Each structure stands twice: as C-alpha cells, then as structure tokens.
Amino acid sequence: MVNKMNKKILLICAIVLFLDQISKSIVAAFMKVGSTIVVIKKFFNVTYINNNGAAWSILSNKNTFLIIFSIIAIIIIYRFMYLFKNNKRNNIAFGLILGGIIGNLIDRWLFGYVRDFLDFKIFGYNYPIFNIADTAVVIGVFLLIIAIIKGEDKVGKDSSK
C-alpha cells in the first residue's frame, strides 16, 4: 500500500474544495436565503437555500449524524484509493469525491446546514437544488463506476484499454 496520498488527488480535491467554498460564499454574500436569480428561463436558476439534510433533504436536522457519516465516508474513500489502479480517471474520481465530501462537511460543521444554489428544471422536473460539492461527488462516483466496469478497480487486475 502506498503510504502517502497521490499529489494529483490532493490537487483535484483542493480545487474542488476551493471552487465549492468560494461559490457558496459568493451566493451567501449576495443573495438572501430563498431568493432566486433566473439564468436560463425554465431551465436554470441560482436559488439560495440552506439544506439541513442530505440529498433531497433526507435526514433533515440530523447534522451530527451527517457529520459523522461524512468523516467515515472520507476514511473509507481514502482506504479505497489504494485498491484502485493509479491512473488519471481514478485520480480525478477520488479527488472529486473527497473534495465534494469535505466541502459539504465544512458547511455542516460551521453552519449546521449545507448551502445549495444550483437549481435546474429538466424536462419539467424541478431537480433538487445542489452545489459544486454535490456535483463533484456524483461525477466522481460515475467515474469510479466506469473504472469498475473497465476492471480498473483492483491494483493487480489486468484491464483492457
């Protein structure tokens, strides 16, 4: 097992964390909770909300549980990193996931909620409002699913290109 985290993963994690926290801070500084700015009519708005739960507001007002869950998730992801092949896609995936989890963990720790603001309506469905951290986690998980399908989830496993 590698003793220190890959620098590429750390860099991606830091970039995600920076973009997440700066975007949340800008929205919080210039908008009131519940307010909306229409960016693309009937498709994309910036709507500032404070989410006391997880995705789709599940586990609302369970902040302590969500903080503990996030810390455990970070530990599990850290351990999984060394089981996957060290390649560009996997480095990006783990950097995105860690940056996203840490970004929302910071919000939960400091404020007791997560600041969300990306508001999409897709084919008439008003998708739950989310943030950069959420996006990073979803993309990272998607990339890991591709890695598993391609057989890049085990260090010693052969994979076809």
Side-chain angles (χ1 to χ4, degrees):
M1 184 189 305
V2 179
N3 288 331
K4 58 183 186 175
M5 188 183 294
N6 182 313
K7 288 180 184 179
K8 292 174 187 171
I9 294 172
L10 276 177
L11 177 63
I12 293 163
C13 178
I15 291 168
V16 168
L17 192 53
F18 173 77
L19 292 174
D20 177 63
Q21 291 298 303
I22 198 76
S23 63
K24 290 173 178 175
S25 295
I26 290 168
V27 168
F30 292 102
M31 294 180 72
K32 291 181 181 179
V33 175
S35 63
T36 298
I37 298 170
V38 176
V39 179
I40 301 172
K41 192 175 181 178
K42 296 183 180 183
F43 178 68
F44 174 58
N45 299 326
V46 174
T47 302
Y48 178 35
I49 64 165
N50 293 330
N51 185 351
N52 294 322
W56 286 274
S57 295
I58 59 170
L59 300 171
S60 285
N61 299 314
K62 304 287 186 213
N63 197 50
T64 302
F65 172 79
L66 290 169
I67 288 171
I68 292 167
F69 182 81
S70 297
I71 292 168
I72 292 169
I74 291 167
I75 293 166
I76 291 169
I77 294 298
Y78 180 80
R79 294 188 56 85
F80 260 87
M81 286 187 324
Y82 300 108
L83 299 177
F84 279 67
K85 288 188 176 183
N86 182 6
N87 63 28
K88 188 175 183 177
R89 181 188 319 104
N90 293 345
N91 289 339
I92 292 169
F94 286 114
L96 289 171
I97 293 169
L98 286 172
I101 293 171
I102 295 167
N104 282 340
L105 176 60
I106 289 170
D107 273 23
R108 285 191 177 95
W109 185 270
L110 293 178
F111 308 114
Y113 53 82
V114 173
R115 300 169 291 173
D116 288 333
F117 58 91
L118 299 172
D119 183 9
F120 285 90
K121 290 177 181 69
I122 302 173
F123 301 115
Y125 175 68
N126 193 2
Y127 199 78
I129 300 168
F130 58 99
N131 58 44
I132 302 292
D134 300 331
T135 305
V137 170
V138 169
I139 293 169
V141 168
F142 178 73
L143 291 173
L144 287 185
I145 290 169
I146 292 171
I148 292 167
I149 290 168
K150 292 185 133 226
E152 297 172 353
D153 57 324
K154 303 269 188 296
V155 173
K157 200 179 202 182
D158 257 344
S159 67
S160 56
K161 296 192 186 219

